[in-house]
Amino acid sequence: MERLSGEKAQSVEAFGWAARDSSGHLSPFVFSRRKTGEEEVRVKVLYCGICHSDLHCLKNEWHSSTYPLVPGHEIVGEVSEIGSKVSKFSIGDKVGVGCIVDSCRTCESCREDQENYCTKAVATYNGVHHDGTINYGGYSDHIVVDERYAVKIPHTLPLASAAPLLCAGISMYSPMKYFGLAGPDKHVGIVGLGGLGHIGVRFAKAFGTKVTVISSTTGKSKDALETLGADGFLVSTDEDQMKAAMGTMDGIIDTVSASHSISPLIGLLKSNGKLVLLGATEKPFDISAFSLILGRKSIAGSGIGGMQETQEMIDFAAEHGIKAEIEIISMDYVNTAIDRLAKGDVRYRFVIDIANTLAATRS
């Protein structure tokens, strides 16, 4: 088992699973976390979701990975220690930690509670803390975070299925709210019924929004319509279906990260409609300017949400009974889960049972 030592300003031993190179293979890893600061909380990790971005980072597909790499930014846990100036949490509180653990706190984005768009935001893993040390994520036994960057998990929300809300959930909630797609007089299309898309359907229904799932095949139509309650299912490869649906949607949220054409999606929008991109595709899109000009349509992007909005989303989910469809796995199954995720073989999010299975992998 590899150990990492001598890291500046870190003195509490931690244990998790890390990848050492772009093969992405994960194995046991002992490292260090910093001591709990005055405004920080130490969180015993109970569950951690596996996000598709974990796969990208493990294999360095975005050309930004630093190894050893401990993934995980859909973290639910229990506060085990608090700093002397912490006022938001008490020991024993159930909390969530999402995609960022710090930001500059002074820029316009931070002042407007949009820390996710701060140019100095610090990622939960594969990021650098302000003391110069590398951050390690939630595939581990505990994590230290400033109280500003953690959210309270209501007791009515099942902890395991709450974990994916910290990334997938806020990624869908935020654009629906910001772009005015949340309401009974709106019709939103969701491209891709995966980890993000299925939660998006549930948020849309809770908002009273008409929601149509857009997929390249019919394989998930029954799940979309009967299990999740979508109002419609549109097969993007069926020309007749696409033609019949042209100009019917106020907005479309595209969750697909694989390369695909967005021109047909623009045709589905009403005048003034918005196509919001969440998936980080490798290749640039090829679109006609006229497809946007004729109808004053727009293409935008969206990435997670600020801390205030993330708490709002969690509270909304608890109030409306929104949770992710998950497959709970043990820590030693994680490499198989990553392989299955790459093939799209999951319904719809893997969640690692850290609390009950991580320790057994330590030898």
Side-chain angles (χ1 to χ4, degrees):
M1 183 187 304
E2 183 179 347
R3 292 176 179 265
L4 196 64
S5 60
E7 290 186 296
K8 179 176 57 176
Q10 299 194 2
S11 59
V12 179
E13 185 175 278
F15 175 65
W17 278 45
R20 281 33 174 223
D21 54 45
S22 60
S23 70
H25 182 80
L26 292 150
S27 58
F29 178 56
V30 176
F31 59 102
S32 297
R33 299 270 192 202
R34 65 182 177 273
K35 289 184 177 180
T36 306
E38 290 182 334
E39 298 179 347
E40 294 182 323
V41 295
R42 187 174 303 276
V43 178
K44 175 186 176 183
V45 180
L46 302 178
Y47 297 99
C48 187
I50 300 180
C51 178
H52 205 278
S53 58
D54 295 351
L55 175 61
H56 291 302
C57 290
L58 283 168
K59 296 184 178 297
N60 198 24
E61 293 176 350
W62 291 335
H63 311 292
S64 61
S65 298
T66 300
Y67 301 97
L69 188 149
V70 178
H73 59 207
E74 296 182 341
I75 304 165
V76 169
E78 181 178 292
V79 176
S80 60
E81 185 179 26
I82 61 174
S84 60
K85 295 184 178 179
V86 168
S87 58
K88 184 177 173 181
F89 299 106
S90 300
I91 291 175
D93 284 351
K94 302 302 188 293
V95 300
V97 179
C99 300
I100 60 172
V101 291
D102 210 341
S103 62
C104 79
R105 314 184 192 194
T106 59
C107 70
E108 183 176 2
S109 292
C110 288
R111 294 196 305 272
E112 295 180 354
D113 298 313
Q114 295 181 352
E115 300 94 338
N116 50 314
Y117 296 123
C118 172
T119 59
K120 296 181 180 179
V122 178
T124 302
Y125 71 87
N126 199 40
V128 180
H129 188 254
H130 59 70
D131 67 4
T133 53
I134 301 296
N135 285 344
Y136 298 109
Y139 296 16
S140 60
D141 54 6
H142 67 272
I143 190 168
V144 179
V145 62
D146 187 285
E147 65 172 339
R148 173 173 174 164
Y149 301 91
V151 296
K152 296 180 179 179
I153 304 295
H155 72 275
T156 56
L157 205 55
L159 296 180
S161 54
L165 299 179
L166 277 304
C167 176
I170 187 60
S171 293
M172 298 301 299
Y173 182 93
S174 183
M176 286 188 193
K177 296 281 285 188
Y178 181 81
F179 291 103
L181 302 175
D185 59 340
K186 299 298 181 181
H187 181 191
V188 64
I190 294 178
V191 184
L193 192 66
L196 276 72
H198 89 282
I199 296 176
V201 172
R202 287 182 163 161
F203 274 121
K205 295 303 295 181
F207 288 137
T209 304
K210 179 180 179 181
V211 56
T212 295
V213 172
I214 305 168
S215 182
S216 59
T217 68
T218 60
K220 295 181 179 179
S221 60
K222 184 177 180 179
D223 220 8
L225 297 169
E226 297 181 14
T227 304
L228 299 173
D231 299 287
F233 190 90
L234 185 60
V235 180
S236 60
T237 54
D238 187 316
E239 293 184 7
D240 291 337
Q241 286 189 28
M242 293 292 284
K243 185 176 181 180
M246 287 184 67
T248 62
M249 299 180 187
D250 298 285
I252 296 173
I253 299 177
D254 187 347
T255 72
V256 176
S257 58
S259 295
H260 62 290
S261 174
I262 61 172
S263 294
L265 301 177
I266 295 171
L268 300 175
L269 294 171
K270 298 177 182 178
S271 294
N272 304 308
K274 308 164 188 72
L275 172 60
V276 185
L277 305 177
L278 304 187
T281 57
E282 184 177 350
K283 297 179 180 179
F285 294 111
D286 184 14
I287 61 169
S288 164
F290 280 109
S291 67
L292 302 177
I293 294 169
L294 301 178
R296 194 164 59 184
K297 301 174 184 180
S298 58
I299 300 174
S302 183
I304 58 169
M307 298 315 302
Q308 179 175 298
E309 186 175 42
T310 301
Q311 185 67 67
E312 175 187 301
M313 177 274 303
I314 287 287
D315 293 341
F316 183 89
E319 179 183 353
H320 293 272
I322 296 171
K323 58 183 181 180
E325 293 291 325
I326 62 172
E327 179 177 337
I328 298 177
I329 65 168
S330 59
M331 190 72 247
D332 59 6
Y333 188 78
V334 67
N335 287 303
T336 302
I338 292 292
D339 290 341
R340 285 179 54 192
L341 176 61
K343 299 172 185 175
D345 179 23
V346 57
R347 184 186 175 278
Y348 284 101
R349 205 66 151 188
F350 288 116
V351 173
I352 308 168
D353 184 352
I354 299 289
N356 293 313
T357 70
L358 174 62
T361 67
R362 187 168 187 168
S363 58

